[in-house]
Amino acid sequence: MFEKQERASLIVYLYYNRDRKKLEHYGDIVYHSKKHRYIQIYLNLEQLEKTAEKLQAEKFVKKVMFSPLKELGCHFVGILQQEETTILEN
């Protein structure tokens, strides 16, 4: 049976956009910004640390960052109402 795996993303900054093809075997490429020369890759959570170290050692990679998406709050129900009451109280 299919089991849901925890996934996270890495943001990889490149020196040249043509190096995108070299990153395809590391994980699933979700987004590629040609203007800012970065790629967002989704990986399994267990492989995240190892893959980040491997990518940082590559010559065509400028910088590797962990995506802050997991740390952001994604519960948007009732947030506007909470903000309105906070503003009115102040």
Side-chain angles (χ1 to χ4, degrees), residues 56-83:
Q56 194 63 47
E58 296 287 347
K59 292 182 180 180
F60 58 87
V61 174
K62 187 184 294 187
K63 183 168 79 169
V64 177
M65 294 175 49
F66 294 100
S67 177
L69 189 60
K70 290 260 183 196
E71 293 139 20
L72 296 175
C74 296
H75 301 289
F76 300 115
V77 177
I79 286 187
L80 290 177
Q81 186 178 15
Q82 290 173 359
E83 288 180 2

Side-chain angles (χ1 to χ4, degrees), residues 9 27 38 42 62:
S9 64
Y38 75 87
Y42 270 102
K62 187 184 294 187

Side-chain angles (χ1 to χ4, degrees), residues 36-48:
H36 299 290
R37 290 185 288 192
Y38 75 87
I39 292 177
Q40 184 177 10
I41 300 177
Y42 270 102
L43 304 161
N44 291 339
L45 203 55
E46 304 92 34
Q47 300 172 344
L48 196 65

Side-chain angles (χ1 to χ4, degrees), residues 2 10-12 14 21 23-24 27 32 34 36 44 56-58 61-63 69 73 76 82 85-86:
F2 180 74
L10 284 176
I11 299 172
V12 182
L14 302 172
K21 293 180 183 179
L23 295 176
E24 289 178 351
H32 178 201
K34 294 179 181 176
H36 299 290
N44 291 339
Q56 194 63 47
E58 296 287 347
V61 174
K62 187 184 294 187
K63 183 168 79 169
L69 189 60
F76 300 115
Q82 290 173 359
T85 57
T86 307

